[in-house]
Amino acid sequence: MKFNQSNIKKAKKYLDGDYCIGVPTETVYGLAANAYSNIAVKKIFLLKKRPKTNPLIVHYSNISDLKRDCLINDNFIKLYKKFSPGPITYILKLKKDSKISNVVTNKEKNLAVRFPKHKIFKKLLNQLNYPLAAPSANISTRLSAVQAADVKEEFGSKIKYILDGGKCNIGLESTIINLIKKPSILRLGGLEVAKIEKVLGKKLNLNINPKSKIGPGQSQLHYSPGIPLKTNVKKPKKNEAFILIKKRKVNLDNYFYLSKTNNLSEAAKNLYACLRRVKNKGFKSIAVEKIPKTGLGKTINDRLNRASKY
Ligand code: TXA
Ligand code: MG
């Protein structure tokens, strides 16, 4: 997608005016607003129908801007050097004099932060003098948006502008790591946990379905296409959509392929778009074949399992 200065200007104008807009990131589209403005971030919660207890991720363009709001530590620096900008979100302690709206954090003393890699989003962030709070651009519990048209489908004319950055390259949300005490993974995502463990030199606790929820986004029902979905299916029922990881010779109207050759990155990139397409075609239920539980397959399985709680 070509970079277009006038679109970025438009986006900035709306954000400066405390409006929410759709923004492209390499993971999924975000619904963005000025993280320093109570008025602006309240709109995010209203538009998404998001419980106000569910805190937002804040996006920064560089580490020196981050340092105005958060305390950093050694683990953060190691991971930042290796993986940012990119699909990883860090939970850090907020500084006492941070300007982050307490609507963003629901008055908690920590903050989820991310450095996005998408070129257009980075250009936009560079022109603002505030960071952007941006949860995924979908109504709460529903499918994430991976292209501008999906954001439009979710919010219609309720949002003023969508900055079009083409299709998301990764297609799954960022991996979330809590770095406040002993590092632990709060959400599987677009960066494989094994790669993070390699940099930190230790195994990490997975805290992705905790009994007391740290992030309410860890709740069971999430990423739902709004119709029943079953995983690990060998044979679909009649009239059911069947999603397969690898292209077969069969070309039936109810067969949908996530990748040509069992490629998990390609499947990740196609997952949400495929689920959205199936739903929009009017199918009443979805069956998904077994997806390997290796690499990004772990994240794909996590999302499908949550989507199946419908
Ligand atoms: O890839 C992504 O992370 C995308 C793009 C737009 O950056 N954003 C995204 O945001 O997925 P959202 O709001 O859909 O998911 C953020 C998750 C939620 O489950 C929320 O509960 C959790 O992060 N979260 C936010 N702040 C937190 C905090 N301080 N502690 C623990 N979890 C937090
Ligand atoms: Mg989300």
Side-chain angles (χ1 to χ4, degrees):
M1 177 61 53
K2 268 198 198 131
F3 153 59
N4 179 335
Q5 186 60 49
S6 76
N7 288 352
I8 297 210
K9 248 193 182 157
K10 231 188 219 167
K12 176 173 161 33
K13 193 185 84 192
Y14 285 119
L15 291 166
D16 286 348
D18 276 343
Y19 289 105
C20 294
I21 62 164
V23 293
T25 92
E26 73 280 19
T27 57
V28 297
Y29 270 71
L31 183 65
N34 178 353
Y36 290 159
S37 159
N38 291 332
I39 297 171
V41 291
K42 274 184 186 159
K43 290 180 183 164
I44 294 182
F45 286 88
L46 279 175
L47 281 163
K48 271 186 68 92
K49 304 193 176 99
R50 181 176 177 109
K52 67 178 196 308
T53 49
N54 191 358
L56 306 176
I57 298 180
V58 174
H59 299 69
Y60 289 87
S61 68
N62 60 68
I63 200 164
S64 56
D65 286 353
L66 169 86
K67 281 187 188 161
R68 288 193 217 135
D69 295 319
C70 291
L71 297 169
I72 61 169
N73 56 41
D74 291 349
N75 285 329
F76 168 78
I77 291 169
K78 278 188 208 160
L79 295 173
Y80 175 86
K81 280 189 181 152
K82 186 81 185 172
F83 299 121
S84 290
I88 178 167
T89 293
Y90 312 97
I91 310 291
L92 296 172
K93 262 200 183 135
L94 266 179
K95 283 169 75 169
K96 285 221 170 68
D97 59 350
S98 145
K99 287 201 281 183
I100 296 292
S101 155
N102 63 21
V103 178
V104 166
T105 56
N106 191 33
K107 304 195 179 82
E108 292 290 330
K109 301 277 178 276
N110 56 42
L111 185 68
V113 302
R114 187 163 103 75
F115 302 85
K117 193 170 186 170
H118 195 292
K119 265 199 193 128
I120 297 178
F121 191 20
K122 272 172 66 177
K123 295 253 186 218
L124 172 64
L125 278 173
N126 280 333
Q127 296 188 20
L128 305 174
N129 49 18
Y130 45 84
L132 287 177
S136 53
N138 54 278
I139 308 291
S140 260
T141 77
R142 297 293 174 188
L143 284 174
S144 304
V146 289
Q147 53 190 338
D150 300 345
V151 184
K152 181 96 186 154
E153 196 173 289
E154 291 292 312
F155 300 106
S157 57
K158 287 189 186 144
I159 56 175
K160 297 260 182 199
Y161 189 63
I162 302 166
L163 182 60
D164 193 343
K167 283 195 177 144
C168 300
N169 222 353
I170 295 174
L172 295 171
E173 296 80 357
S174 60
T175 301
I176 304 183
I177 182 164
N178 188 343
L179 292 177
I180 289 180
K181 286 179 189 154
K182 194 173 162 210
S184 71
I185 300 292
L186 301 185
R187 176 174 75 183
L188 300 180
L191 178 65
E192 291 165 40
V193 173
K195 292 186 180 166
I196 301 177
E197 288 175 333
K198 207 168 161 199
V199 171
L200 294 182
K202 60 179 160 212
K203 272 265 173 221
L204 290 171
N205 265 343
L206 285 191
N207 199 12
I208 56 177
N209 292 307
K211 287 209 181 73
S212 73
K213 303 204 174 0
I214 302 173
Q218 294 164 316
S219 68
Q220 280 296 326
L221 171 72
H222 221 96
Y223 316 105
S224 164
I227 51 177
L229 179 149
K230 266 179 294 158
T231 53
N232 301 320
V233 175
K234 288 202 177 111
K235 227 177 163 186
K237 288 195 194 126
K238 215 177 153 215
N239 299 329
E240 195 167 46
F242 193 30
I243 297 182
L244 301 103
I245 172 81
K246 178 183 156 198
K247 186 116 176 102
R248 312 290 209 287
K249 290 217 173 86
V250 202
N251 228 343
L252 297 168
D253 280 352
N254 64 327
Y255 275 48
F256 298 85
Y257 299 106
L258 291 177
S259 84
K260 287 199 185 79
T261 58
N262 220 352
N263 177 317
L264 289 166
S265 307
E266 190 189 338
K269 188 170 173 171
N270 290 326
L271 179 70
Y272 290 132
C274 182
L275 290 168
R276 206 173 266 276
R277 194 164 352 111
V278 165
K279 185 196 165 196
N280 288 343
K281 283 195 170 214
F283 284 94
K284 297 285 180 280
S285 64
I286 306 177
V288 188
E289 80 165 333
K290 192 171 184 173
I291 311 279
K293 290 195 176 65
T294 51
L296 283 184
K298 290 184 186 163
T299 307
I300 297 175
N301 275 292
D302 173 86
R303 300 301 190 266
L304 289 171
N305 286 334
R306 290 177 207 269
S308 74
K309 299 293 186 292
Y310 174 78

